[in-house]
Amino acid sequence: MTQTAHGVEFSQQPSATPKSAEERAAILANPGFGNYFTDHTAIVDCSVDAAGKGSWHDARVEAYGPISLDPSAAVLHYGQEIFEGLKAYRHADGSIWTFRPEANAARLNKSARRLALPELPEEYFLAAIRELVSADKEWVPSGDGEALYLRPFMIATEAFLGVRAAREVSFRVIASPAGNYFGGELKPISIWISREYARAGRGGTGAAKCGGNYAASLIAQMEAEEHGCKQVLFLDQFNDNAVEELGGMNVFFVMKDGSLATPALTGTILEGVTRMSVMQVAKDMGREVTERKITLAEWRDGVASGDIAEVFACGTAAVITPIGVLKDATEFIGSEDAKAGETTMAIRAQLLGIQTGAIEDTHGWLTRLA
């Protein structure tokens, strides 16, 4: 049993079959994204009674492996599940840091409230990622643009078939070494416009980070890939085809005067940690940033007139990715020969510089893990 800096005790049950140094090195030479996983997982369970009284307990680090669930576990039938995504970066001196974990902890609890799951105290969230990274620190890559991707998630484990909030829940963190999300050289990607499908609706779970939102996006994502596109764009068809977000990323527009605009949060858009970080970095550069309604027509007309100079997407996995073309069967906005914009790349360099320790962190965003 070890007590963390936050006062949370985690028992340690090391894996009996960890990867060898040679096996790990072979994986880290070309990790891809989400293909391989480290030797351990961090877990905290929660149990409450019918009155909602109970607590988080049995905090532990144990070997990574299959989860044993009863076939009637609530997560399998009613989708009571949420998750987060953040990264651990190895700095030049060998130390390991993560970026704005408190924001992820807060968003996890916002999602928990929406999905009727118990809120996890921030100290448990921070301790879990710290303990896991400490156990698997040799898995953190050091290549350009590489990091250890951390996936905290919460699932309803109670065995029952009644439609109510589960009273037994498990919070877990797994980790995966990660390279460039889209692979290879960074260059503008093509985006497919979804005309038929919606990622979320008003009053729904669009502002929560839950698996159901992503499941709803997959058919549109498959359509995008069939047409040679990396991501899909969702629109609010009942609000002048207002731009919402991509399948897993937020969208930013760089206007010809150097200012930035991004769709305002409406309850159907996820409040990305990278999104709010981009906004702050842009403001630090002296650029005006606005959150407002942006329609497909404005995107089309703005690119044609030059009022929109650059477009990019952002998220934890890919950080910042320039967008070259937006299209569907009848639309083609942008250019396949587009180059990554100067403003896009400047913001990306600044953000990555802070995350990797190459640029001073003036906002206190970084937390040391090991």
Side-chain angles (χ1 to χ4, degrees):
M1 189 78 71
T2 61
Q3 185 166 345
T4 72
H6 299 278
V8 180
E9 291 188 339
F10 274 73
S11 64
Q12 306 291 323
Q13 304 166 35
S15 171
T17 58
K19 291 286 193 298
S20 68
E22 291 76 16
E23 290 174 309
R24 189 172 58 246
I27 291 171
L28 293 181
N30 184 25
F33 187 89
N35 298 322
Y36 305 97
F37 299 90
T38 66
D39 296 311
H40 297 91
T41 180
I43 306 170
V44 191
D45 294 321
C46 182
S47 301
V48 298
D49 59 21
K53 294 182 179 180
S55 64
W56 291 94
H57 56 86
D58 293 340
R60 61 199 185 275
V61 173
E62 62 182 40
Y64 179 93
I67 299 173
S68 179
L69 285 175
D70 191 283
S72 65
V75 65
L76 302 177
H77 300 271
Y78 306 120
Q80 219 182 345
E81 175 271 350
I82 57 177
F83 68 98
E84 275 298 319
L86 64 164
K87 289 178 175 178
Y89 300 86
R90 188 179 297 280
H91 287 191
D93 64 357
S95 60
I96 302 169
W97 301 71
T98 192
F99 182 75
R100 307 192 74 174
E102 298 85 359
N104 290 98
R107 189 173 64 180
L108 182 87
N109 281 334
K110 181 178 179 181
S111 298
R113 290 190 292 272
R114 181 61 184 85
L115 273 292
L117 287 161
E119 293 185 42
L120 178 77
E122 181 183 281
E123 58 266 27
Y124 278 93
F125 184 95
L126 297 177
I129 62 173
R130 192 186 304 275
E131 291 295 298
L132 178 58
V133 171
S134 179
D136 289 337
K137 57 181 176 292
E138 299 303 323
W139 281 92
V140 182
S142 56
D144 184 36
E146 295 180 341
L148 184 68
Y149 182 80
L150 304 174
R151 171 54 61 85
F153 62 100
M154 189 186 297
I155 58 174
T157 56
E158 184 181 1
F160 78 107
L161 292 180
V163 182
R164 60 163 172 78
R167 296 170 187 158
E168 294 178 9
V169 168
S170 184
F171 169 75
R172 296 168 178 253
V173 187
I174 57 176
S176 173
N180 189 324
Y181 185 75
F182 290 114
E185 178 186 355
L186 181 69
K187 54 185 179 181
I189 61 173
S190 297
I191 305 296
W192 182 256
I193 307 168
S194 179
R195 301 282 191 176
E196 183 176 357
Y197 303 106
R199 171 186 167 275
R202 297 181 187 182
T205 58
K209 196 168 179 67
C210 62
N213 292 342
Y214 293 81
S217 76
L218 294 180
I219 188 169
Q221 178 65 31
M222 290 170 62
E223 185 178 50
E225 292 171 357
E226 288 172 359
H227 291 86
C229 295
K230 294 287 189 181
Q231 279 277 319
V232 61
L233 172 72
F234 291 102
L235 305 169
D236 184 345
Q237 298 179 22
F238 302 100
N239 187 23
D240 302 322
N241 278 331
V243 173
E244 295 213 307
E245 63 175 276
L246 306 186
M249 306 174 78
N250 295 116
V251 183
F252 276 86
F253 299 85
V254 181
M255 316 308 287
K256 67 178 181 180
D257 64 0
S259 65
L260 273 69
T262 191
L265 300 176
T266 59
T268 56
I269 298 173
L270 183 68
E271 185 176 3
V273 175
T274 306
R275 174 186 181 274
M276 61 183 180
S277 302
V278 165
M279 293 172 63
Q280 185 59 58
V281 166
K283 291 175 183 177
D284 292 344
M285 292 177 168
R287 297 179 182 274
E288 180 184 355
V289 182
T290 58
E291 298 176 81
R292 61 178 178 82
K293 176 180 172 180
I294 301 168
T295 65
L296 179 61
E298 180 181 355
W299 190 335
R300 178 193 308 116
D301 296 343
V303 169
S305 67
D307 287 340
I308 295 176
E310 305 170 27
V311 188
F312 65 86
C314 70
T316 297
V319 188
I320 289 177
T321 300
I323 295 174
V325 171
L326 179 67
K327 65 179 180 179
D328 68 2
T330 60
E331 290 268 10
F332 193 96
I333 301 169
S335 170
E336 291 182 331
D337 298 323
K339 305 296 183 183
E342 290 184 8
T343 299
T344 297
M345 297 308 288
I347 294 173
R348 185 177 190 274
Q350 183 72 14
L351 189 57
L352 274 173
I354 295 170
Q355 292 172 336
T356 59
I359 294 175
E360 182 183 2
D361 171 23
T362 60
H363 295 287
W365 285 341
L366 296 179
T367 295
R368 184 166 182 170
L369 299 178

